């Protein structure tokens, strides 16, 4: 295991990203403790259930945690999407919603916030991230074009495919190995991009779809050096770079922590610099921006904006509300400003690492290094007796719920879905169960309870058998598929 590099070594760390993150860095050892930069004003009681109740609920839900009722869940780590606790300022903002059909004051506040913190010129609000994905995919993809990206995301790839695009994975190889501890496992491999241009020609490439951080790779970051290099590459070939900015604030934290020259820079500055190398972005504001609903797409080109603004009225609503209430846009504008505060993001990732640190200590196999928004358990190593077709990660999510009422999510073969042309399962190398931490919601004591449950399930791992799929919906099957125990 290496030490943080200095001098010439630091340059190679940035340029090649072959540098390993030491475990002590993952846990922020040697530094004073992180603590939440807020105190609790309102609480929501949790339900605790007994094992027979959970067994019944899990069977009724077809062993799919998405089909559980939330009242049957104790600690909900299904997703960090739309599950944040809003601040008192955001709730106050909800009270000044301007619910005019057109030209709501809150839209202009949101527009200013996105211009200020993300730096793009033109903004179109949408009801959530996939609304924005639909608009940008329809605008920028011609049928038959390739869309290279740093690992697929479920809804993103589906919209790209529905617009006639063909997704191609161009993430670095390290991202597919859960034991590899490189610092920037979200990076695009420019060699893979070059090969794609060589094979098909630049005009067959719609744009580069850049996620930061990379959700399906375990919340792994993209370096500033990589996005800069991408910009240069895009300019050379006349290919645009679009950012999935859903967790770009968390990405900025890793750049501040790991990349030479950024230690003294503010998260807000790093985020804006990162975005400046891209042509535009789409956003699920339900994550970084601390709101329960909302999204946007923003670009620098007037022509692209014109097309997006045209389309939004078909699918979402007028271009000054995009399917949202005025109050939602106000909460999003305030949440955007709160999300880039250095203390906020340090505590947010500190909590994820706290949980990961406990599991690391107990030898539980997981995706390393610990990423931004979640702990991803490595179900292949957790249950070596199960084949991928036994749905190891889905099984692990079910076992965690049965043990303690904690709800997690599969991120493996079920999430990957099927190849639309061949009908075969996509078989991702990563077979992961995600423990996703909502922002500003749970305490350190909740994390202790979660860790203890994972440990208990790990200790009983040998007796576990897998699942078989008994119902499979056509799109995004992980949401509604049903299973039975083998
Ligand atoms: N992500 C998540 O839990 C919620 C839906 S899938 C269970 O991780 C990225 C990187 C996302 C994302 C949603 C979307 C779509 C786009 N990009 O859910 O439509 O993580 O707001 O955003 C989920 P919406």
């Amino acid at each position: 295991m290496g030490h943080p590099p200095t001098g010439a070594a630091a340059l190679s760390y940035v340029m090649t990203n072959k540098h390993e993150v030491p475990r002590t860095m993952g846990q922020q050892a040697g530094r004073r403790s992180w603590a939440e930069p807020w105190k609790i004003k309102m609480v929501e009681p949790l339900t605790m259930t007994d094992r027979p109740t959970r067994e019944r609920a899990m069977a009724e839900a077809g062993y799919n945690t998405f089909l559980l009722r939330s009242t049957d869940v104790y600690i909900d780590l299904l997703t960090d999407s739309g599950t944040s606790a809003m601040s008192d300022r955001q709730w106050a903002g909800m009270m000044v919603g301007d619910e005019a059909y057109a030209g709501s004051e809150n839209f202009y506040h949101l527009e200013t916030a996105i211009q200020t913190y993300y730096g793009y010129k033109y903004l179109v609000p949408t009801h959530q991230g996939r609304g924005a994905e639909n608009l940008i995919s329809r605008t920028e993809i011609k049928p038959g074009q390739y869309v290279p990206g740093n690992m697929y995301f479920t809804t993103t790839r589906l919209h790209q495919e529905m617009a006639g695009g063909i997704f191609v994975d161009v993430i670095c190889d390290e991202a597919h190995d859960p034991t590899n501890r490189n610092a920037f496992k979200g990076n695009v491999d420019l060699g893979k991009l070059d090969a794609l241009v060589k094979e098909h020609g630049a005009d067959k490439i719609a744009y580069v779809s850049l996620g930061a951080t990379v959700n399906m790779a375990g919340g792994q970051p993209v370096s500033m050096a990589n996005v800069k290099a991408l910009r240069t590459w895009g300019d050379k070939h006349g290919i645009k770079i679009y950012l999935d900015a859903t967790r770009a604030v968390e990405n900025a934290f890793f750049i501040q922590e790991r990349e030479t020259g950024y230690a003294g820079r503010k998260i807000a500055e790093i985020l804006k610099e990162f975005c400046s190398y891209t042509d535009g972005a789409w956003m699920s504001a339900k994550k970084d921006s601390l709101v329960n609903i909302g999204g946007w797409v923003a670009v620098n080109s007037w022509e692209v904006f014109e097309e997006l603004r045209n389309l939004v009225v078909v699918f979402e609503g007028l271009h000054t509300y995009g399917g949202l209430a005025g109050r939602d846009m106000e909460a999003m504008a305030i949440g955007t400003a709160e999300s880039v505060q250095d203390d906020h993001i340090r505590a947010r990732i500190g909590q994820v690492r706290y949980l990961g640190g406990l599991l690391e200590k107990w030898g539980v196999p997981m995706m390393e290094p610990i990423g931004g928004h979640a702990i991803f358990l490595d179900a292949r190593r957790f249950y070596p007796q199960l084949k991928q077709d036994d749905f190891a990660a889905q099984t692990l999510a079910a076992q965690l719920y049965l043990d303690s009422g904690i709800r997690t999510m599969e991120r493996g073969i079920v999430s990957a879905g099927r190849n639309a042309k061949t009908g075969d399962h996509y078989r991702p190398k990563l077979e992961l169960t995600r423990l996703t931490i909502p922002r500003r919601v749970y305490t350190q004591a909740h994390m202790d309870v979660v860790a203890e449950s994972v440990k208990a399930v790990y200790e009983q791992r040998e007796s576990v058998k897998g699942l078989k799929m008994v119902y499979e919906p056509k799109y995004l099957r992980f949401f509604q598929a049903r299973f039975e125990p083998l």
Side-chain angles (χ1 to χ4, degrees):
M1 209 182 305
H3 294 282
T6 51
L11 189 66
S12 70
Y13 159 42
V14 171
M15 298 310 288
T16 69
N17 307 302
K18 294 292 177 203
H19 172 73
E20 289 191 354
V21 179
R23 286 213 163 72
T24 49
M25 191 169 174
Q27 293 164 40
Q28 296 185 319
R31 296 178 61 177
R32 292 203 177 188
S33 286
W34 56 274
E36 291 83 0
W38 40 260
K39 56 185 177 176
I40 297 166
K41 191 174 331 219
M42 189 187 282
V43 298
E44 180 182 339
L46 296 176
T47 325
M48 293 183 79
T49 50
D50 56 14
R51 176 105 193 181
T53 307
R54 292 195 293 274
E55 282 175 0
R56 212 168 34 246
M58 191 82 276
E60 277 171 17
Y63 295 84
N64 184 346
T65 50
F66 275 98
L67 301 178
L68 288 166
R69 285 172 177 245
S70 78
T71 45
D72 289 331
V73 172
Y74 172 36
I75 298 175
D76 203 345
L77 307 186
L78 183 72
T79 177
D80 61 333
S81 181
T83 52
S84 296
M86 292 208 296
S87 67
D88 52 359
R89 313 291 149 95
Q90 286 177 289
W91 280 108
M94 299 283 283
M95 297 306 292
V96 293
D98 169 4
E99 306 306 343
Y101 188 91
S104 162
E105 186 62 7
N106 313 117
F107 165 76
Y108 297 103
H109 294 168
L110 179 63
E111 186 182 51
T112 302
I114 303 313
Q115 288 166 345
T116 305
Y117 295 109
Y118 290 84
Y120 302 114
K121 284 191 195 148
Y122 308 113
L123 173 80
V124 175
T126 59
H127 78 284
Q128 61 182 84
R130 69 199 74 177
E133 288 171 343
N134 178 34
L135 302 183
I136 195 83
S137 303
R138 282 171 179 269
T139 302
E140 288 290 53
I141 300 171
K142 293 192 199 86
Q145 278 189 316
Y146 293 88
V147 189
N150 55 345
M151 203 172 270
Y152 85 99
F153 183 71
T154 54
T155 57
T156 316
R157 184 180 62 192
L158 182 60
H159 281 295
Q160 289 164 350
E161 287 174 354
M162 288 174 96
I166 303 156
F167 178 81
V168 184
D169 188 9
V170 293
I171 201 166
C172 59
D173 289 340
E174 291 86 348
H176 295 281
D177 174 3
T179 62
N180 183 298
R181 294 188 55 83
N182 284 358
F184 290 104
K185 281 169 76 174
N187 279 359
V188 170
D189 180 335
L190 274 89
K192 292 184 186 174
L193 279 179
D194 281 337
L196 200 67
V197 170
K198 205 165 165 207
E199 193 178 347
H200 302 289
D203 56 346
K204 285 284 277 179
I205 295 175
Y207 56 86
V208 177
S209 175
L210 179 71
T213 59
V214 183
N215 190 354
M216 302 303 279
Q220 302 296 330
V222 174
S223 68
M224 193 69 88
N226 193 243
V227 72
K228 266 192 213 175
L230 262 180
R231 176 76 272 159
T232 307
W233 181 90
D235 289 345
K236 179 174 154 202
H237 295 285
I239 295 172
K240 289 181 192 164
I241 317 292
Y242 282 116
L243 174 67
D244 181 339
T246 298
R247 297 184 184 84
V249 179
E250 292 176 0
N251 198 83
F253 173 85
F254 290 108
I255 291 175
Q256 187 190 58
E257 180 185 68
R258 297 175 184 173
E259 199 159 345
T260 309
Y262 290 92
R265 303 270 299 275
K266 291 277 182 204
I267 291 294
E269 286 174 55
I270 297 171
L271 175 70
K272 203 159 174 182
E273 182 186 338
F274 195 94
C275 293
S276 73
Y277 301 118
T278 67
D279 295 280
W282 67 88
M283 174 78 175
S284 171
K286 298 171 71 174
K287 283 79 164 175
D288 268 354
S289 306
L290 301 161
V291 286
N292 306 124
I293 194 72
W296 47 260
V297 49
V299 292
N300 290 329
S301 150
W302 174 263
E303 290 74 30
V304 177
F305 170 63
E306 273 279 84
E307 186 60 22
L308 293 167
R309 197 166 62 155
N310 251 271
L311 277 178
V312 75
V313 297
V314 181
F315 292 103
E316 305 276 320
L318 192 72
H319 59 278
T320 55
Y321 78 83
L324 294 165
R327 54 181 172 269
D328 296 327
M329 291 189 284
E330 191 62 32
M332 209 185 335
I334 298 168
T336 301
E338 289 180 0
S339 74
V340 299
Q341 301 306 312
D342 287 48
D343 284 353
H344 157 74
I345 199 71
R346 178 165 176 255
R348 190 278 185 283
I349 293 180
Q351 187 179 41
V352 176
R353 287 175 172 180
Y354 174 78
L355 173 60
L358 291 177
L359 299 177
E360 229 164 48
K361 201 169 68 191
W362 295 331
V364 177
M366 59 184 160
M367 180 60 147
E368 298 183 68
I370 295 163
H373 62 301
I375 299 300
F376 289 70
L377 302 178
D378 183 359
R380 283 184 194 271
R381 282 183 291 152
F382 207 102
Y383 293 135
Q385 72 271 32
L386 300 188
K387 300 189 297 288
Q388 195 167 31
D389 286 18
D390 297 335
F391 303 113
Q394 187 81 25
T395 303
L396 179 50
Q399 291 297 324
L400 284 168
Y401 176 75
L402 290 173
D403 180 71
S404 57
I406 290 165
R407 171 153 69 171
T408 60
M409 185 200 291
E410 193 264 10
R411 296 275 76 163
I413 188 170
V414 184
S415 294
R418 287 182 191 272
N419 182 311
K421 275 214 180 97
T422 64
D424 295 339
H425 289 295
Y426 284 118
R427 294 183 177 280
K429 288 200 182 120
L430 300 174
E431 184 66 29
L432 308 171
T433 304
R434 190 180 74 175
L435 282 62
T436 340
I437 314 301
R439 296 166 185 78
R440 308 194 292 206
V441 171
Y442 292 113
T443 66
Q444 192 157 318
H446 289 114
M447 296 302 114
D448 289 336
V449 170
V450 170
E452 286 162 18
S453 176
V454 175
K455 185 167 182 263
V457 171
Y458 191 50
E459 282 163 1
Q460 294 150 18
R461 63 192 179 275
E462 277 163 22
S463 60
V464 168
K465 298 194 174 58
L467 294 167
K468 64 174 178 205
M469 200 188 294
V470 293
Y471 167 69
E472 180 176 352
K474 189 167 164 202
Y475 297 117
L476 302 173
R477 63 185 184 179
F478 61 96
F479 282 129
Q480 290 150 342
R482 298 185 72 83
F483 302 83
E484 281 173 7
L486 281 174

